[in-house]
Amino acid sequence: MNAYDRVQAARAKGRPTAKAYIEALLQGFVELHGDRRYGDDPAVIGGIGYLAGKPVTVLAIEKGVDTQDKVRRNFGSAHPEGYRKALRLMEQAEKFHRPVLCLVDTSGAFCGIGAEERGQGQAIAENLSRLMELAVPVVSVVIGEGGSGGALALAVADQVWMLENAYYSVISPEGAASILWKDAGKAAQAAACLKLTAQDLRELGIIEEIIPETDPFGWLKEALPRTFEQYCAMSAQALLEHRYQKFRKIGGLSV
């Protein structure tokens, strides 16, 4: 499959959404609502559940399953209150020493007038900053689309994993083609240039693991508890230094 084929696969109708992953991976999941500032954003699911018998906080961007659900969740394009809800719950996770699992599936944060009025850029920036210094393990999994800052706001993590047919990019191929060539029809050409596939990003050191599409639930059930156990054994200082070095070396030149 070429890069744009994988983009289309990430957007495919019937692809499992974050809710399916939560149901498959966690026991006793309890959803928590609201950012304590403005309201609740259904595009972001946040809560607590048990993974292999141990409590974890889950932050997930949910696109919706049927048409009514998709509209209610704004097709996975989160508002500022969604990111602020995530911020509240990640800080709660740190307080109670719970690891954090992020599930990313969004074409990008919502860019409507209301979102801008309520501080969309600031909300995303606060998440980036806070995740960088969060003193508990964080694993982020791109399960479908990973679009722009809307995805990055839940992807500053100790480990970033992607499904085989997911993509993760600063801009959509159609958006890039419209800017570069004034022609959204050149999206396939743009996708190849953006290096947005899991295979490309692992080579660049931006992600650590590629999850096979054949059985992602089974793969994650095995890999997540082992990874969280590894990082929970580290001191807070060692964990933060590891996370800092992971991002510090991205884009660096070896001489």
PDB file of all heavy atoms in Angstrom, residues 24 26 53 59 69 83 89 92 118 127 157 242 247:
ATOM      1  N   ALA A  24     -12.481  -3.470  24.602  1.00  0.00           N
ATOM      2  CA  ALA A  24     -11.682  -4.683  24.432  1.00  0.00           C
ATOM      3  C   ALA A  24     -10.537  -4.789  25.436  1.00  0.00           C
ATOM      4  O   ALA A  24     -10.157  -5.889  25.841  1.00  0.00           O
ATOM      5  CB  ALA A  24     -11.118  -4.727  23.007  1.00  0.00           C
ATOM      6  N   LEU A  26     -10.081  -2.845  28.544  1.00  0.00           N
ATOM      7  CA  LEU A  26     -10.246  -2.472  29.953  1.00  0.00           C
ATOM      8  C   LEU A  26     -11.433  -3.165  30.605  1.00  0.00           C
ATOM      9  O   LEU A  26     -12.434  -3.472  29.949  1.00  0.00           O
ATOM     10  CB  LEU A  26     -10.427  -0.965  30.079  1.00  0.00           C
ATOM     11  CG  LEU A  26      -9.297  -0.087  29.544  1.00  0.00           C
ATOM     12  CD1 LEU A  26      -9.663   1.366  29.696  1.00  0.00           C
ATOM     13  CD2 LEU A  26      -7.987  -0.389  30.241  1.00  0.00           C
ATOM     14  N   GLY A  53      -5.763  -5.944  35.497  1.00  0.00           N
ATOM     15  CA  GLY A  53      -5.963  -5.879  36.931  1.00  0.00           C
ATOM     16  C   GLY A  53      -5.411  -4.647  37.616  1.00  0.00           C
ATOM     17  O   GLY A  53      -5.555  -4.495  38.835  1.00  0.00           O
ATOM     18  N   LEU A  59      -7.461   8.395  28.025  1.00  0.00           N
ATOM     19  CA  LEU A  59      -7.893   9.599  27.318  1.00  0.00           C
ATOM     20  C   LEU A  59      -7.982   9.239  25.849  1.00  0.00           C
ATOM     21  O   LEU A  59      -6.984   8.830  25.249  1.00  0.00           O
ATOM     22  CB  LEU A  59      -6.887  10.731  27.536  1.00  0.00           C
ATOM     23  CG  LEU A  59      -6.533  11.035  28.993  1.00  0.00           C
ATOM     24  CD1 LEU A  59      -5.375  12.017  29.066  1.00  0.00           C
ATOM     25  CD2 LEU A  59      -7.743  11.562  29.739  1.00  0.00           C
ATOM     26  N   ASP A  69     -24.191   9.457  16.293  1.00  0.00           N
ATOM     27  CA  ASP A  69     -23.058   9.482  17.229  1.00  0.00           C
ATOM     28  C   ASP A  69     -21.916  10.334  16.687  1.00  0.00           C
ATOM     29  O   ASP A  69     -21.270  11.077  17.428  1.00  0.00           O
ATOM     30  CB  ASP A  69     -22.583   8.052  17.487  1.00  0.00           C
ATOM     31  CG  ASP A  69     -21.656   7.951  18.693  1.00  0.00           C
ATOM     32  OD1 ASP A  69     -21.814   8.745  19.639  1.00  0.00           O
ATOM     33  OD2 ASP A  69     -20.777   7.068  18.679  1.00  0.00           O
ATOM     34  N   TYR A  83      -9.877  19.014  25.373  1.00  0.00           N
ATOM     35  CA  TYR A  83      -8.463  18.943  25.749  1.00  0.00           C
ATOM     36  C   TYR A  83      -8.264  19.338  27.213  1.00  0.00           C
ATOM     37  O   TYR A  83      -7.391  18.799  27.895  1.00  0.00           O
ATOM     38  CB  TYR A  83      -7.634  19.826  24.817  1.00  0.00           C
ATOM     39  CG  TYR A  83      -7.621  19.286  23.406  1.00  0.00           C
ATOM     40  CD1 TYR A  83      -8.258  19.955  22.372  1.00  0.00           C
ATOM     41  CD2 TYR A  83      -7.018  18.064  23.125  1.00  0.00           C
ATOM     42  CE1 TYR A  83      -8.272  19.436  21.089  1.00  0.00           C
ATOM     43  CE2 TYR A  83      -7.033  17.534  21.852  1.00  0.00           C
ATOM     44  CZ  TYR A  83      -7.663  18.223  20.829  1.00  0.00           C
ATOM     45  OH  TYR A  83      -7.693  17.698  19.564  1.00  0.00           O
ATOM     46  N   LEU A  89      -7.813  15.165  33.784  1.00  0.00           N
ATOM     47  CA  LEU A  89      -7.718  13.746  34.122  1.00  0.00           C
ATOM     48  C   LEU A  89      -6.274  13.254  34.140  1.00  0.00           C
ATOM     49  O   LEU A  89      -5.941  12.351  34.911  1.00  0.00           O
ATOM     50  CB  LEU A  89      -8.573  12.921  33.159  1.00  0.00           C
ATOM     51  CG  LEU A  89     -10.085  13.195  33.246  1.00  0.00           C
ATOM     52  CD1 LEU A  89     -10.841  12.326  32.272  1.00  0.00           C
ATOM     53  CD2 LEU A  89     -10.585  12.989  34.662  1.00  0.00           C
ATOM     54  N   GLN A  92      -5.069  14.310  37.467  1.00  0.00           N
ATOM     55  CA  GLN A  92      -5.647  13.406  38.463  1.00  0.00           C
ATOM     56  C   GLN A  92      -4.879  12.083  38.478  1.00  0.00           C
ATOM     57  O   GLN A  92      -4.602  11.523  39.543  1.00  0.00           O
ATOM     58  CB  GLN A  92      -7.119  13.152  38.143  1.00  0.00           C
ATOM     59  CG  GLN A  92      -7.835  12.248  39.132  1.00  0.00           C
ATOM     60  CD  GLN A  92      -9.160  11.782  38.583  1.00  0.00           C
ATOM     61  OE1 GLN A  92      -9.221  10.858  37.771  1.00  0.00           O
ATOM     62  NE2 GLN A  92     -10.242  12.438  39.009  1.00  0.00           N
ATOM     63  N   ARG A 118     -12.784  30.131  22.740  1.00  0.00           N
ATOM     64  CA  ARG A 118     -12.551  29.491  24.035  1.00  0.00           C
ATOM     65  C   ARG A 118     -11.101  29.023  24.200  1.00  0.00           C
ATOM     66  O   ARG A 118     -10.785  28.319  25.149  1.00  0.00           O
ATOM     67  CB  ARG A 118     -13.520  28.321  24.229  1.00  0.00           C
ATOM     68  CG  ARG A 118     -14.978  28.754  24.271  1.00  0.00           C
ATOM     69  CD  ARG A 118     -15.891  27.676  24.796  1.00  0.00           C
ATOM     70  NE  ARG A 118     -15.911  26.477  23.995  1.00  0.00           N
ATOM     71  CZ  ARG A 118     -16.636  26.305  22.892  1.00  0.00           C
ATOM     72  NH1 ARG A 118     -17.405  27.304  22.445  1.00  0.00           N
ATOM     73  NH2 ARG A 118     -16.597  25.184  22.225  1.00  0.00           N
ATOM     74  N   ASN A 127      -1.679  21.161  27.161  1.00  0.00           N
ATOM     75  CA  ASN A 127      -1.536  19.708  27.187  1.00  0.00           C
ATOM     76  C   ASN A 127      -0.120  19.279  26.811  1.00  0.00           C
ATOM     77  O   ASN A 127       0.463  18.392  27.445  1.00  0.00           O
ATOM     78  CB  ASN A 127      -2.535  19.059  26.231  1.00  0.00           C
ATOM     79  CG  ASN A 127      -3.913  18.921  26.846  1.00  0.00           C
ATOM     80  OD1 ASN A 127      -4.271  19.668  27.750  1.00  0.00           O
ATOM     81  ND2 ASN A 127      -4.699  17.988  26.349  1.00  0.00           N
ATOM     82  N   ALA A 157       4.338  11.386  24.749  1.00  0.00           N
ATOM     83  CA  ALA A 157       4.300  10.183  25.570  1.00  0.00           C
ATOM     84  C   ALA A 157       5.663   9.509  25.632  1.00  0.00           C
ATOM     85  O   ALA A 157       6.542   9.775  24.811  1.00  0.00           O
ATOM     86  CB  ALA A 157       3.262   9.210  24.996  1.00  0.00           C
ATOM     87  N   HIS A 242      13.970  10.392  30.583  1.00  0.00           N
ATOM     88  CA  HIS A 242      13.787   9.513  29.417  1.00  0.00           C
ATOM     89  C   HIS A 242      12.870  10.165  28.392  1.00  0.00           C
ATOM     90  O   HIS A 242      13.152  10.164  27.193  1.00  0.00           O
ATOM     91  CB  HIS A 242      13.208   8.176  29.868  1.00  0.00           C
ATOM     92  CG  HIS A 242      12.782   7.280  28.735  1.00  0.00           C
ATOM     93  ND1 HIS A 242      11.537   7.370  28.153  1.00  0.00           N
ATOM     94  CD2 HIS A 242      13.436   6.298  28.062  1.00  0.00           C
ATOM     95  CE1 HIS A 242      11.441   6.474  27.177  1.00  0.00           C
ATOM     96  NE2 HIS A 242      12.573   5.814  27.107  1.00  0.00           N
ATOM     97  N   PHE A 247      12.182  13.084  22.984  1.00  0.00           N
ATOM     98  CA  PHE A 247      11.759  14.162  22.091  1.00  0.00           C
ATOM     99  C   PHE A 247      12.915  15.065  21.683  1.00  0.00           C
ATOM    100  O   PHE A 247      12.903  15.641  20.589  1.00  0.00           O
ATOM    101  CB  PHE A 247      10.635  14.970  22.744  1.00  0.00           C
ATOM    102  CG  PHE A 247       9.315  14.262  22.712  1.00  0.00           C
ATOM    103  CD1 PHE A 247       8.910  13.461  23.766  1.00  0.00           C
ATOM    104  CD2 PHE A 247       8.487  14.361  21.603  1.00  0.00           C
ATOM    105  CE1 PHE A 247       7.708  12.784  23.730  1.00  0.00           C
ATOM    106  CE2 PHE A 247       7.284  13.684  21.551  1.00  0.00           C
ATOM    107  CZ  PHE A 247       6.890  12.886  22.616  1.00  0.00           C
TER     108      PHE A 247
END
